[in-house]
Amino acid sequence: MIRIREIDHLVLRVVDLESMLHFYCSTLGCTVERRLEGLGLVQLRAGNSLIDLVPVDGKLGRAGGAAPGPEGRNLDHFCLRVEPFDAEEIRRQLAASGYAAGPVERRYGAEGEGPSIYVTDPEGNVVELKGPPGA
């Protein structure tokens, strides 16, 4: 039997790499783990997981078809577990970077029900920032 422990990585095809790097690194605190320029891939460390950014005009990106846009996305949303979860600080940090956060709501995740906030990145991907269960 296959037993899944956690999300290892996800891949986002992107149009504007610099704005996406700013959002994920400067706003959310990810760090660039490695760049494979010839392939068209930037891997970001997000806690124990990776977020791969693949520019649509690069070698990998061209293989994926049309760029994401209003008529279609590559992903509905993904969830990043945040600890500590301080809703006011998260909202302040997002606003300071020019991003509007949705309301804090209780949602079910891998560890159970807990608080979460949705925010949309520069290319329309919805990111859920999730706190611990029972918080």
Side-chain angles (χ1 to χ4, degrees), residues 4-100:
I4 297 172
R5 188 183 69 192
E6 61 196 351
I7 293 174
D8 181 84
H9 72 279
L10 59 92
V11 180
L12 296 174
R13 296 177 64 247
V14 305
V15 175
D16 183 347
L17 179 61
E18 290 310 311
S19 69
M20 296 294 273
L21 284 169
H22 184 267
F23 177 78
Y24 286 99
C25 295
S26 297
T27 302
L28 295 186
C30 295
T31 57
V32 175
E33 180 142 322
R34 69 181 191 149
R35 289 176 177 258
L36 299 173
E37 301 291 343
L39 198 54
L41 171 67
V42 179
Q43 293 183 300
L44 307 179
R45 174 61 55 188
N48 292 328
S49 302
L50 294 175
I51 298 172
D52 294 355
L53 302 179
V54 176
V56 296
D57 60 354
K59 184 176 180 178
L60 279 180
R62 284 190 300 272
E71 285 83 41
R73 297 183 286 178
N74 292 328
L75 183 71
D76 178 73
H77 82 276
F78 64 93
C79 180
L80 299 173
R81 176 65 162 74
V82 177
E83 197 165 301
F85 186 88
D86 181 336
E88 291 309 310
E89 178 58 23
I90 291 169
R91 297 177 75 70
R92 186 201 64 71
Q93 187 172 339
L94 291 170
S97 294
Y99 298 100

